[in-house]
Every structure is written in C-alpha cells, then in structure tokens.
Amino acid sequence: MGWLSRFLAAVAFFAAGVLFSPETLGSNSVTHLSAYLKLAHLLCFSTAFGAALWVTFIGGIIMFKNLPRHQFGNLQSKMFPAYFSLVGICCAISVAAFGYLHPWKSASTAEKYQLGFLISSFAFSLTNYFVFTPMTIEVMKQRHKVEREENIGTEIGWSKNREAAKANPKLAAMNKKFGMIHALSSLANIMSFGGLAMHSWYLAGKMNL
C-alpha cells in the first residue's frame, strides 16, 4: 500500500469516526466546536508524544547501533528537522486547543500548569529546530570531511573516531564542539518530551474507562 493509499484510508476512518460521533449526531454547534478542539488536542498531543518517544528512546538507538556512522549522521540530518517541525506544529495546535478550552482567567491551577508544560514543549522543539539542529548539522558535516581524510566514518560505532582523535587535534576539537552542541540539543529534546509526559498524566486522570 502506497503512502497516498495509507493517507486516504486514515482520512476515511477519521471521517467515519466524526460522522457517527454523538456530537455530530446532535445539534449543538458549541458542543461540536468543543468536541473538535478536544479531538485536535488529543490527536496532536499523541502524535507529538509518540514521535518523541520513538525517536528519542527507540529509533535513534537502533539506527546508531546498526548503520555506518556517516550514513547514520546523514540520515539524522534529514530526519531531525522533520521531527522537530512535526513536534513543534503538534504542540502549537495542542496549546491553542487547550488554551481555548481552558481560558486562563477561569482555568484551575492544574490547568494552568498543563498549559505551561505544553508551551515549554513547544518552545524547546522550536529551539531545537531553529538553533541547535542547524548548528549540529553544520559541525557534523565539517567533522565528516575531516574523518574522510582519515579514512574513517564507514564503521559502526565510535571506536575509530576516538583513536584517530588522539593523533588529530583538529578532529579532537571538532568532537568536543559537536558533543557540546549535541548535548544541548538532546537536553532540549528531553525537556520537550518531559513536558509532554507530564501532560499525559493529566490526560490519563481525565479518562473515564
């Protein structure tokens, strides 16, 4: 099944769910808006949370352990901008929907905290997208060039890089710079995921199963 077929199938199931929902079968337009905003919030939050969980704790680790290092880095340089933009857009929609459903003046203390968690996730994702990711990619490309001169980078793991850096001060300096920027990017990503994780606990408390 191609990408377009999968997308159309998802849209069809989504449309069927909306068509046969109690809110659609009713007649209150205010209830309709509230239901649609809740749906938008839930779908966007779950998409952001799931993407962050997979990229941070599963997909990235599997790729690093199984791909040649330069191939892994080039793949990450294409994937991370898409990942951070996806999470950022989803967080923005979640913030807008949650803020509309829980206006600040009438919101409870818990709801204000939740809005803060969502905004922080959005801010950290934007920071990664506009600041840390471009810096990381640029340093990575420079380091790849130096490593190719040393005939390394096609291996899996860091062993050859560390050995070469002992005799190459330029590579050692690039490793240090890359490590610092990558650490900041990882911290921002973890903070974004943390905000989403705290909001998941709030949503779980609201479920009636």
Side-chain angles (χ1 to χ4, degrees):
M1 180 181 286
W3 181 90
L4 181 59
S5 299
R6 291 195 296 268
F7 176 76
L8 291 176
V11 170
F13 282 118
F14 175 78
V18 171
L19 182 63
F20 292 103
S21 68
E23 290 79 8
T24 302
L25 296 174
S27 59
N28 192 328
S29 60
V30 175
T31 303
H32 285 184
L33 177 60
S34 176
Y36 294 148
L37 288 174
K38 289 178 181 178
L39 177 62
H41 174 68
L42 181 61
L43 288 178
C44 290
F45 164 78
S46 58
T47 298
F49 184 83
L53 179 66
W54 174 260
V55 170
T56 305
F57 299 106
I58 303 173
I61 296 173
I62 292 174
M63 287 186 288
F64 178 74
K65 290 185 175 181
N66 292 276
L67 290 176
R69 195 156 45 77
H70 283 187
Q71 185 177 341
F72 167 75
N74 290 330
L75 177 60
Q76 294 287 75
S77 71
K78 303 298 183 183
M79 187 178 72
F80 274 162
Y83 161 61
F84 289 126
S85 62
L86 172 67
V87 174
I89 291 170
C90 286
C91 285
I93 295 173
S94 290
V95 166
F98 192 86
Y100 185 90
L101 292 167
H102 305 282
W104 186 262
K105 290 184 178 180
S106 59
S108 66
T109 301
E111 291 165 348
K112 291 178 179 179
Y113 274 118
Q114 295 306 314
L115 187 60
F117 292 147
L118 291 172
I119 291 174
S120 68
S121 294
F122 172 65
F124 281 120
S125 292
L126 280 189
T127 302
N128 248 328
Y129 182 78
F130 287 108
V131 181
F132 295 135
T133 294
M135 293 172 65
T136 302
I137 293 173
E138 181 60 30
V139 175
M140 180 202 73
K141 289 180 178 179
Q142 294 173 5
R143 187 173 69 166
H144 280 189
K145 183 178 179 180
V146 175
E147 287 179 327
R148 282 193 294 270
E149 295 173 354
E150 296 283 342
N151 294 317
I152 61 174
T154 57
E155 74 285 350
I156 296 174
W158 288 103
S159 58
K160 289 187 178 181
N161 172 279
R162 290 169 180 166
E163 288 298 319
K166 293 177 182 179
N168 189 328
K170 184 177 180 180
L171 180 57
M174 287 195 141
N175 283 346
K176 184 176 181 181
K177 184 177 181 180
F178 178 85
M180 179 184 67
I181 299 172
H182 186 266
L184 291 173
S185 177
S186 296
L187 177 61
N189 184 52
I190 287 294
M191 294 300 291
S192 177
F193 177 78
L196 293 171
M198 286 186 280
H199 189 62
S200 70
W201 183 257
Y202 168 83
L203 290 180
K206 294 294 183 179
M207 295 177 67
N208 294 316
L209 298 177

